Amino acid sequence: MDCVDAIVIGSGPGGAFAAYGLRGKRVLVLDVGRDAPAGDRLSGNVYDLRRTRDDLFPQLIGEEFESLHNLYNRPISLKLKSPFMSFVVRDWRRLTPVVSKTFEGVISLAKGGLANAWGAGVYRFTDRDLRGFPISVEDLQPFYDELTSRIGVSGANDDLDPYFAHDDALLPPLALSPLFSDLLARYAQARADFVRERTFLGRPRLAVLTQPWNGRSAYQYENLEFFQPHIPAIYTPAYTIDQLRSEGAITYLSGRLVERFHERDGQVRVYARNLDTGEAEVWCGRKLCIAAGTLNTARIVLQSAAEYDKRLPLLDNPMACIPFISLGRIGAGLAANDSSLAQLNWIVDDLDSGETIQGTLYGATGPLRSDVLFTLPLSFRANLTLLKHVAPAAGLLMLFYPGIETPQSYVRLRSSGELEVEFAQTGGNPAIERKIMRLLRRIGYLSHPALIDRPGMGQALHYAGALPMRAAPGPFQTHADGRLSGTAHVHIVDGACFSRLPSKNLTFTIMANALRIGRRLARELS
Ligand SMILES: Cc1cc2nc3c(=O)[nH]c(=O)nc-3n(C[C@H](O)[C@H](O)[C@H](O)COP(=O)(O)OP(=O)(O)OC[C@H]3O[C@@H](n4cnc5c(N)ncnc54)[C@H](O)[C@@H]3O)c2cc1C
């Protein structure tokens, strides 16, 4: 059997950058690889489109009412349900089933993975974030730097530098929506009060271009993020996969559902189902990198070991969503050029827990009104009018708490092939939330604890920690190079190998770590 140098499973952030690191070797990427549907895409600014096009129903709602998903189902991220975005989560329940009483998340079987819909927030882990990892910032830094210059990261060096790391290679930050340029100015005036409370605001770091970069164009402020995939300015790993394919650096096979692997004679056999023909296939590689997303990576590893009793740990960030409003902006006109991307970050440096708690601030002009319409107490018409006037004045702070390892949060494979996924429920930290609301009030924004929404576990979509990296790994743990304990050539290159999950978006670190491991394997293969 012909054996390639390396097989990579998955084309999300982990898979794309493991493959990128392995450039120069014979690399085969196996992926389910669902892609965006063809059809009449929106082009232009959502504000103008709403005024000038008679009927946006097919693009915004969908012939099968896709965008109304949350009205009659368990809610999923508003970014995953519109007609052109729902491909990101298409087929996962059928092809990779999960049974759970507590899991409210999703799995992606798309080319580019969940990051087709991500907010593109890219944050370097600090040594504090990497506590418990057998690697340090020094190990990741060259790869963070390489990624920054490759994909383009916009942002600013500001009060958040100690938490995000100073970076001279940043592109200029995105222009702020009026609500948030006001908010930042008020923060600057009251900064001393914030600093006293060890609380800081600043610009997010986003894999979103504010100027043309490596053949991609700059962000156009069309506010289409909820409806339009593959916006060139917003990086997704599908771009890297396409580029590697066009260079001939990888062979990319979609429509393959990998089920298990087996090591024999210094090679790894990978067993997959061809989803088009239904036939079983076997592929051979000298190395295997698994980046099927933490849950499916755990499934493949457990299936390969025929292990149906073991509970692997599972992490996600518990969330609290804190809405707030500026009374002075109620009824203000909507900005024609706007964005649904992150506007600002909020950091609370919590001395009690020794953690920094990170949140992201978003505006309210991007989603459909039907996403909140039925949660308001007035009549349908009155709610519509209310929303129209309140949207320019309202913001949302999405707070991520660190992932907590407990026996109640685990993933286990059943012999039926279903994955059992359970999470302990958590209530957040009311003291931190009170502090945030106090400081918001101090600069003129209203909120109330009763308005805080706590999405179910899994909705942060930051799955990690099932096969953690350890200095001396035991069974179902990984070495510092992602190598699965007990194997010679199988490496875990997605969030599954995280040793812990701080209060910070994890994907930039998945990418940097996968690139680190891919490069190392390319050297070993030489
Ligand atoms: C709405 C939204 C917003 C987000 N915002 C951010 C953000 O701002 N910042 C951030 O850091 N993170 C964000 N995330 C999370 C981020 O997208 C994920 O952390 C990241 O995509 C995980 O990368 P991954 O490579 O581990 O796996 P995934 O992205 O899950 O990709 C998995 C890949 O594996 C393939 N695959 C799965 N199973 C199999 C199988 N059995 N056989 C073959 N192929 C398989 C899939 O087709 C896919 O290509 C967001 C996610 C969403 C949905």
Side-chain angles (χ1 to χ4, degrees):
M1 172 183 274
D2 180 37
C3 209
V4 295
D5 289 327
I7 296 177
V8 175
I9 304 173
S11 66
F17 280 95
Y20 186 81
L22 280 156
R23 262 188 326 173
K25 301 291 149 201
R26 278 181 69 211
V27 180
L28 170 66
V29 178
L30 296 174
D31 191 15
V32 177
R34 297 299 188 227
D35 212 343
D40 177 19
R41 301 276 180 84
L42 294 169
S43 100
N45 181 312
V46 77
Y47 182 89
D48 293 332
L49 286 166
R50 280 192 160 123
R51 285 190 317 165
T52 54
R53 295 251 308 236
D54 283 345
D55 186 9
L56 289 171
F57 193 89
Q59 292 89 354
L60 298 192
I61 303 289
E63 302 298 353
E64 291 172 24
F65 302 98
E66 294 94 313
S67 281
L68 304 185
H69 175 279
N70 288 0
L71 295 184
Y72 56 95
N73 286 299
R74 285 170 94 170
I76 59 170
S77 161
L78 304 185
K79 275 196 149 172
L80 293 170
K81 59 186 183 54
S82 70
F84 286 96
M85 297 299 285
S86 55
F87 77 97
V88 179
V89 286
R90 194 189 311 149
D91 290 340
W92 77 267
R93 286 183 196 280
R94 181 169 63 84
L95 294 175
T96 56
V98 163
V99 283
S100 178
K101 293 191 187 70
T102 51
F103 176 64
E104 301 213 5
V106 291
I107 286 176
S108 175
L109 298 177
K111 182 173 84 172
L114 286 171
N116 285 287
W118 71 333
V122 283
Y123 300 95
R124 294 171 185 235
F125 277 19
T126 59
D127 274 329
R128 195 165 163 189
D129 297 323
L130 287 169
R131 267 179 314 191
F133 281 70
I135 56 172
S136 68
V137 167
E138 266 176 32
D139 297 301
L140 291 175
Q141 174 127 358
F143 304 102
Y144 284 135
D145 290 345
E146 182 175 345
L147 284 165
T148 301
S149 72
R150 170 103 231 120
I151 67 178
V153 175
S154 55
N157 291 297
D158 55 21
D159 279 1
L160 303 188
D161 269 19
Y163 307 97
F164 296 171
H166 186 89
D167 189 345
D168 287 324
L170 295 174
L171 306 177
L174 287 171
L176 291 172
S177 305
L179 176 71
F180 295 95
S181 48
D182 267 10
L183 198 153
L184 195 59
R186 292 179 192 205
Y187 162 74
Q189 278 171 5
R191 191 170 168 281
D193 294 347
F194 278 69
V195 172
R196 207 173 305 118
E197 302 257 23
R198 300 194 60 75
T199 300
F200 307 90
L201 257 73
R203 298 303 191 101
R205 307 277 169 97
L206 299 175
V208 178
L209 302 181
T210 47
Q211 61 192 49
W213 195 258
N214 284 342
R216 289 165 39 226
S217 49
Y219 186 67
Q220 299 297 312
Y221 301 91
E222 291 173 336
N223 210 356
L224 282 174
E225 287 76 39
F226 286 88
F227 309 105
Q228 190 87 302
H230 305 158
I231 296 171
I234 304 176
Y235 175 79
T236 105
Y239 302 158
T240 298
I241 291 291
D242 287 344
Q243 187 209 334
L244 291 171
R245 278 176 89 180
S246 68
E247 286 172 2
I250 59 169
T251 302
Y252 173 78
L253 295 182
S254 60
R256 268 56 178 202
L257 181 74
V258 173
E259 290 169 341
R260 64 193 174 88
F261 64 82
H262 178 62
E263 273 193 315
R264 198 166 72 193
D265 308 329
Q267 297 174 337
V268 192
R269 303 280 155 104
V270 174
Y271 297 82
R273 183 149 48 96
N274 183 322
L275 295 172
D276 298 326
T277 65
E279 279 174 17
E281 293 178 344
V282 188
W283 302 93
C284 175
R286 291 168 64 202
K287 301 276 183 195
L288 173 63
C289 293
I290 312 183
T294 292
L295 294 172
N296 276 346
T297 290
R299 186 194 306 262
I300 292 167
V301 167
L302 290 169
Q303 185 70 62
S304 305
E307 172 59 72
Y308 306 112
D309 291 325
K310 178 86 181 159
R311 290 179 170 193
L312 301 181
L314 185 61
L315 303 172
D316 188 26
N317 293 120
M319 289 168 82
C321 298
I322 307 179
F324 60 91
I325 190 159
S326 156
L327 291 180
R329 292 198 60 78
I330 292 179
L334 284 173
N337 295 308
D338 206 349
S339 164
S340 303
L341 293 162
Q343 297 278 331
L344 296 170
N345 279 123
W346 186 302
I347 292 277
V348 179
D349 197 342
D350 185 37
L351 292 180
D352 291 340
S353 63
E355 295 280 357
T356 50
I357 309 299
Q358 182 170 322
T360 305
L361 293 138
Y362 296 95
T365 60
L368 292 172
R369 298 212 172 118
S370 56
D371 287 329
V372 269
L373 193 65
F374 300 101
T375 61
L376 299 177
L378 307 179
S379 70
F380 182 80
R381 252 175 213 295
N383 281 347
L384 264 182
T385 312
L386 182 69
L387 279 172
K388 181 173 160 201
H389 295 300
V390 164
L396 188 70
L397 170 59
M398 248 186 216
L399 209 59
F400 291 126
Y401 290 105
I404 305 164
E405 193 173 331
T406 77
Q408 292 80 42
S409 300
Y410 68 89
V411 51
R412 180 176 81 93
L413 184 67
R414 292 186 176 176
S415 53
S416 60
E418 294 162 313
L419 203 62
E420 195 176 299
V421 177
E422 298 296 350
F423 273 112
Q425 298 302 303
T426 137
N429 184 331
I432 287 180
E433 292 159 10
R434 276 197 303 274
K435 180 193 286 199
I436 289 171
M437 279 185 273
R438 194 167 60 241
L439 286 166
L440 275 171
R441 203 166 44 244
R442 160 83 181 77
I443 57 173
Y445 300 88
L446 297 184
S447 187
H448 191 278
L451 297 175
I452 296 179
D453 180 34
R454 298 186 196 283
M457 286 303 294
Q459 288 204 43
L461 302 153
H462 290 169
Y463 314 129
L467 304 158
M469 277 193 251
R470 300 280 184 237
F476 298 103
Q477 296 183 340
T478 45
H479 294 263
D481 62 354
R483 181 165 58 83
L484 184 64
S485 170
T487 71
H489 303 290
V490 178
H491 294 256
I492 307 300
V493 296
D494 58 15
C497 73
F498 276 36
S499 314
R500 76 186 277 269
L501 184 63
S503 162
K504 186 177 260 185
N505 311 57
L506 78 171
T507 310
F508 204 39
T509 302
I510 293 181
M511 291 154 82
N513 189 49
L515 180 53
R516 176 182 77 93
I517 294 172
R519 278 277 153 71
R520 188 176 168 138
L521 296 185
R523 272 200 312 276
E524 281 179 22
L525 284 161
S526 300

